[in-house]
Amino acid sequence: MPTTVGEFRAGDAPLTMLTAYDAPTADACEAAGVDAILVGDSMGNAALGYDSTLPVTVDEVASRTGAVARATEETLVIADMPFLSFGVDEAESIKNAGRMVKEAGAHAVKLESGSHTVELTERLADLGIPVMAHLGLTPQKVNQLGYARQGTSREAAEEIAALADAHEEAGAFALVLEHVPANLATQVTDELSVPTIGIGAGPDCDGQVLVANDVLGLGEGLPPFAASFGDVRGEMEKAVSGYVDAVESKEFPADEHSHVESELDDLY
Ligand code: KIV
């Protein structure tokens, strides 16, 4: 299992990456053999109750990254840099990315990328903070792009391809491609020597990533490119209903869940 970005390379099988925002999910990811955990700013929708990723803070990602890093030993942990925590001021960007590594224990950070992140990627990589780039649908641009497919015209696809090259040259160790045509992702994957990780980018990327809530069946509804492999929401509801029923019917707590001290019988 990779614990350095240099080991994060597709072998015979594609790389697997999944988001996690807490220790139990991270522990399950590691036990299941996931190669990398992304502490995504998708936590905004998936775990923190926001309508988008925009309100997510550096403190929130650092706290969740710490939980994931403490729960794992053999899995690459990548912290997602939240909206406006990078790309505004270089020193501030470095300080925020540095917190994810120094304070929270991440191995790397991910930046939703564009022409504004090429120099920053180089600077962070030079400083020893590995960067995963992210092109295509970048949810932090929801107010400009919505959640629509990206790279669908020749011009837009060429722009993504050029930015992919520029980020590899700047030192990015991997590239997420989100919601782009599969034939664009195939060509970018063939062109780059660093791994591409697809989400809604077809089968030819070097690896795949999804949001844990989708994979687990924990959320409501799925994006068109995601799939569920369980029904954790259903299981949670079943367990909580069982608890409510047991308390209301006084089956819980039973004798084995209580203890009695005989000398305490006459307090009143
Ligand atoms: O925040 C996130 O979960 C992501 C993935 C969807 C790539 O950026």
Side-chain angles (χ1 to χ4, degrees), residues 20-21 39-40 43 59-71 77-80 100-101 104-108:
Y21 320 109
V39 189
M43 71 175 67
D59 283 345
E60 284 167 339
V61 176
S63 164
R64 300 293 181 129
T65 300
V68 166
R70 287 189 291 276
V77 176
I78 302 156
D80 206 4
M100 299 304 170
V101 175
H107 300 107

Side-chain angles (χ1 to χ4, degrees), residues 153-221:
S153 69
R154 188 165 188 95
E155 193 190 351
E158 281 172 355
E159 193 183 331
I160 289 172
L163 283 170
D165 287 345
H167 282 82
E168 172 170 76
E169 222 164 277
F173 75 92
L175 169 69
V176 169
L177 285 169
E178 181 165 357
H179 215 10
V180 298
N183 49 342
L184 165 60
T186 303
Q187 290 171 72
V188 172
T189 301
D190 287 347
E191 171 72 13
L192 297 194
S193 54
V194 298
T196 58
I197 309 298
I199 172 164
D204 291 336
C205 291
D206 296 304
Q208 297 289 327
V209 58
L210 283 176
V211 168
N213 292 37
D214 296 338
V215 166
L216 297 173
L218 188 54
E220 285 161 20

